[in-house]
Amino acid sequence: MLDVIIPTFNEEDNIEPLYKELSTTLKNIKYNLIFIDDGSTDKSLSKLIKIYKKDTNRIKIISFTRNFGKDAAIYAGLKEAHGKYISIIDSDLQQHPKHILEMVEFLEKNEDYDEVAMVNSYCNDSFIQKKFKKTFYKLMTKLTHYNFEVGASDFRTIRNYVAKTLIDLKETNRFTKGLFAWTGFNVKFMKYTPDKRLHGKSKFNFRKQINYAIDGILNFSTSPMKIALYLGSTLSTCSFIYLIYLIIKTLVLGKDVPGFASLMSVILLLGGVILTMLGLIGEYVSRIYMETKQRPIYVSKVKFGFDDDIL
Ligand code: UDP
Ligand code: MG
């Protein structure tokens, strides 16, 4: 049995084509489709209910009260998925369902692998985006020492126990790619070329991608805080040596040391460094603050296809 988790946010025109594609591709295996409506404000939910009415045995829907983000949607799906294999796929048909079959087939044949992750060839991205993403994943691997494969996406198929492990990680601010890497399971990376989005626009603009990258680094590494330590100690050592030099120079030559401009630039530089580091520490503290509230990762309003449907 295969459970397919499909995070969906404002994808009204993609739902029916995706459903058709999934039904034809997966027709020879036993599967469930778990759609997570992540607080869509368009007609996505009514489109989902329409396909649910046609295929009640296979389709499940969880609808959030508002937009909680793709990572929360994946978490909700993982909680409801109980199949032997669990796949995660986007709802915009950029990721062709045929790859799900390839992943399942691989896991069937290779008992020693726990999951398969599709690796994006980035061929639809601009040169700058490509460079940015590659550098980010390499940096993440360096900082965390977990394996962040360049281009590995959330388009994956995992075994049931991998899903259970992910659900046990209760953090509210979820960077799913990092959680996958953290678990350390044996992953087979398979290359694929994403298609063009069928309808609508990507929900992750450049600003969101930058925030996502910052989230990833801060959620999985405390190394940035060490920068303050290294920088602080280097600057202190340099200024101490400079101080000794000035004292000796004044004592020997008896000269005043001029230099209002250099003094100002050093003060401003240090002020900037201190404020940046304070901001960085603030980011970590605010994350601790948010996590201590232990709020649920999502709130669902309507469910279809479950024993405890809220209608
Ligand atoms: N998505 C979601 N919640 C969000 C943003 C996106 O569930 O807040 C879903 C979206 O509907 C799609 C998938 O996540 O199925 C990937 O989003 P998108 O295609 O916009 O991202 P991209 O492919 O550009 O990285
Ligand atoms: Mg997409």
Side-chain angles (χ1 to χ4, degrees):
M1 168 70 95
L2 166 77
D3 279 325
V4 185
I5 299 170
I6 312 157
T8 309
F9 176 51
N10 290 348
E11 305 279 6
E12 56 184 4
D13 295 324
N14 293 325
I15 288 165
E16 279 182 7
L18 173 72
Y19 168 65
K20 276 192 193 132
E21 201 65 57
L22 280 165
S23 312
T24 7
T25 314
L26 304 177
K27 64 178 185 298
N28 293 327
I29 55 173
K30 249 180 113 188
Y31 67 93
N32 280 320
L33 304 179
I34 307 176
F35 284 93
I36 319 294
D37 164 36
D38 185 13
S40 300
T41 48
D42 64 358
K43 294 199 190 83
S44 291
L45 183 59
S46 52
K47 290 272 168 79
L48 286 174
I49 296 172
K50 203 170 146 195
I51 58 166
Y52 168 73
K53 285 185 177 152
K54 277 197 263 177
D55 202 354
T56 31
N57 290 333
R58 284 214 188 97
I59 293 180
K60 292 170 195 259
I61 306 168
I62 302 170
S63 178
F64 290 175
T65 49
R66 64 168 173 85
N67 181 240
F68 281 85
K70 185 182 173 186
D71 297 284
I74 292 176
Y75 175 77
L78 289 173
K79 267 182 79 177
E80 301 299 346
H82 307 293
K84 183 176 174 194
Y85 300 117
I86 297 156
S87 294
I88 303 166
I89 188 170
D90 287 354
S91 49
D92 55 1
L93 276 161
Q94 279 198 280
Q95 304 166 337
H96 198 280
K98 69 180 179 202
H99 298 302
I100 294 182
L101 287 182
E102 288 164 22
M103 291 193 275
V104 171
E105 203 179 308
F106 180 87
L107 289 176
E108 282 279 288
K109 286 187 188 148
N110 297 276
E111 281 292 320
D112 46 333
Y113 280 91
D114 307 302
E115 55 180 283
V116 182
M118 298 309 290
V119 175
N120 188 334
S121 58
Y122 291 148
C123 61
N124 293 334
D125 288 331
S126 67
F127 177 76
I128 304 230
Q129 273 176 316
K130 247 186 243 177
K131 269 264 168 278
F132 169 75
K133 288 180 182 174
K134 280 187 182 165
T135 315
F136 171 70
Y137 288 113
K138 282 188 184 150
L139 179 72
M140 284 297 282
T141 308
K142 267 228 161 84
L143 289 178
T144 62
H145 305 296
Y146 320 138
N147 182 22
F148 281 84
E149 180 82 10
V150 174
S153 57
D154 294 328
F155 185 24
R156 288 177 189 238
T157 299
I158 58 180
R159 290 188 196 273
N160 192 292
Y161 53 82
V162 178
K164 287 210 171 69
T165 310
L166 289 166
I167 299 162
D168 283 343
L169 306 174
K170 295 287 180 214
E171 54 213 85
T172 343
N173 190 339
R174 296 178 80 78
F175 180 72
T176 310
K177 283 193 186 92
L179 298 177
F180 275 123
W182 180 89
T183 55
F185 282 113
N186 199 9
V187 190
K188 166 77 183 167
F189 295 102
M190 275 185 188
K191 278 222 157 64
Y192 87 111
T193 306
D195 299 320
K196 286 248 155 22
R197 197 174 225 285
L198 189 65
H199 293 288
K201 272 201 271 181
S202 168
K203 274 85 193 171
F204 294 94
N205 55 27
F206 191 64
R207 187 180 55 82
K208 274 200 172 169
Q209 284 183 17
I210 297 276
N211 283 337
Y212 193 64
I214 293 175
D215 255 357
I217 295 173
L218 298 188
N219 281 2
F220 282 87
S221 168
T222 50
S223 297
M225 281 207 273
K226 287 188 191 135
I227 300 172
L229 200 67
Y230 297 144
L231 206 64
S233 44
T234 314
L235 283 174
S236 312
T237 316
C238 292
S239 51
F240 183 71
I241 295 169
Y242 188 55
L243 185 74
I244 302 281
Y245 163 74
L246 287 183
I247 291 173
I248 294 172
K249 197 175 161 191
T250 316
L251 287 179
V252 174
L253 301 175
K255 268 188 191 168
D256 267 357
V257 187
F260 173 75
S262 53
L263 200 65
M264 274 311 285
S265 52
V266 170
I267 290 174
L268 287 176
L269 172 83
L270 275 183
V273 170
I274 292 168
L275 280 179
T276 312
M277 290 307 155
L278 264 181
L280 187 65
I281 294 166
E283 279 291 322
Y284 281 101
V285 174
S286 64
R287 272 151 221 271
I288 299 169
Y289 172 64
M290 294 311 283
E291 291 293 336
T292 52
K293 289 174 191 278
Q294 296 205 311
R295 287 187 180 151
I297 294 164
Y298 65 91
V299 178
S300 64
K301 184 169 60 180
V302 193
K303 279 168 114 188
F304 288 92
F306 297 91
D307 296 338
D308 56 343
D309 284 3
I310 315 162
L311 295 170

